[in-house]
Amino acid sequence: LHSSKKTYRRLEHHLMGIDIDKKHKRKVIRRSPRSDNVYLRLLVKLYKFLNRRTNSKFNQVILKRLAMSRNNKPPISLARLTKQMRSEDRKNKLAVVVGTVTNDVRLFDVPKLRVCALRVTEQARERITKAGGEVITFDQLALQAPKGQNTILLQGPRRARKAVRHFGLAPGVPHSHAKPYVRSKGRKFERARGRRKSCGYKA
């Protein structure tokens, strides 16, 4: 009985095939956004069409960014936008942001800007229009510049989140600049971490 069980297991293994390593097989490429927002999904539909029917790299990038997660669509401030658009060759061009444009109180004078964004905060919109600029949506952009002519594609800083400070090599390890998860900063809280065995480890 025991030998017949062994034979059956061998036969079963033979029938099932070899289990190869699937560790690196998973390719995650978003083709559509996770959001159920109807307007965002309509934009994806529009730019899928434009990407298919034009040979423009601009439409390809817009489509890719529309499907991205919120962390990869960071907001851009009005000050950063102004700084990016102040050079002479960008004066009359349209700034395109797949994300939110926010106000910046540190910026005193807003120049005349033409902006296309998924969302513009109320105060930022007010300041742009007051300076003689305009704010348009992506469906309007598709009519004005179907191939992205005279546009500058911009995005906010992706690594500006506080969580990013903790990424990388462990805190205290040589050449690490990661911030430790410490509940408080003071004499009693991980002051000698990495210096001796009694405090975490010895580096």
Side-chain angles (χ1 to χ4, degrees):
L1 184 74
H2 189 67
S3 60
S4 63
K5 269 188 178 178
K6 267 189 173 177
T7 316
Y8 176 72
R9 275 180 191 158
R10 276 182 197 153
L11 187 67
E12 193 183 33
H13 182 75
H14 179 71
L15 289 168
M16 283 169 71
I18 303 158
D19 183 26
I20 57 167
D21 180 25
K22 297 200 196 84
K23 194 176 177 182
H24 306 292
K25 289 278 176 187
R26 191 166 173 261
K27 287 190 176 73
V28 184
I29 304 166
R30 278 197 189 180
R31 302 293 180 194
S32 59
R34 289 273 180 91
S35 170
D36 293 325
N37 188 323
V38 182
Y39 301 106
L40 185 63
R41 287 194 170 272
L42 280 169
L43 283 181
V44 169
K45 209 170 183 181
L46 170 65
Y47 276 90
K48 262 184 184 172
F49 171 79
L50 286 172
N51 184 35
R52 193 171 67 245
R53 297 296 294 268
T54 63
N55 59 351
S56 171
K57 179 85 175 171
F58 175 81
N59 290 327
Q60 195 180 328
V61 175
I62 293 286
L63 178 62
K64 188 185 174 185
R65 288 188 189 176
L66 282 170
M68 281 182 177
S69 62
R70 282 186 70 163
N71 282 349
N72 290 319
K73 286 190 292 191
I76 188 168
S77 72
L78 205 53
R80 191 180 281 263
L81 191 69
T82 305
K83 192 179 177 183
Q84 293 284 354
M85 297 301 289
R86 70 181 172 197
S87 62
E88 283 299 317
D89 57 327
R90 293 183 178 185
K91 280 278 190 218
N92 300 315
K93 292 194 176 182
L94 179 75
V96 180
V97 180
V98 184
T100 308
V101 175
T102 57
N103 184 34
D104 197 335
V105 291
R106 296 167 297 182
L107 181 72
F108 296 118
D109 300 314
V110 178
K112 188 180 176 182
L113 291 169
R114 290 176 68 229
V115 182
C116 171
L118 277 180
R119 181 172 163 263
V120 181
T121 62
E122 203 176 317
Q123 287 177 317
R125 187 185 292 273
E126 196 181 303
R127 290 185 77 182
I128 291 165
T129 49
K130 200 175 180 181
E134 66 166 335
V135 179
I136 66 166
T137 54
F138 275 94
D139 52 323
Q140 290 172 313
L141 175 71
L143 291 169
Q144 286 183 28
K147 286 189 175 183
Q149 311 94 306
N150 293 320
T151 59
I152 300 292
L153 194 54
L154 301 171
Q155 62 179 340
R158 285 195 199 179
R159 291 181 62 82
R161 294 188 303 137
K162 279 190 175 179
V164 178
R165 296 177 192 179
H166 301 283
F167 297 169
L169 293 169
V173 166
H175 312 298
S176 165
H177 300 287
K179 186 180 180 180
Y181 289 103
V182 184
R183 78 187 152 100
S184 188
K185 197 172 183 179
R187 176 184 57 81
K188 298 187 286 184
F189 305 99
E190 296 183 23
R191 297 307 285 174
R193 186 170 158 81
R195 296 290 178 88
R196 60 190 72 86
K197 287 278 185 187
S198 63
C199 295
Y201 58 92
K202 171 85 169 76

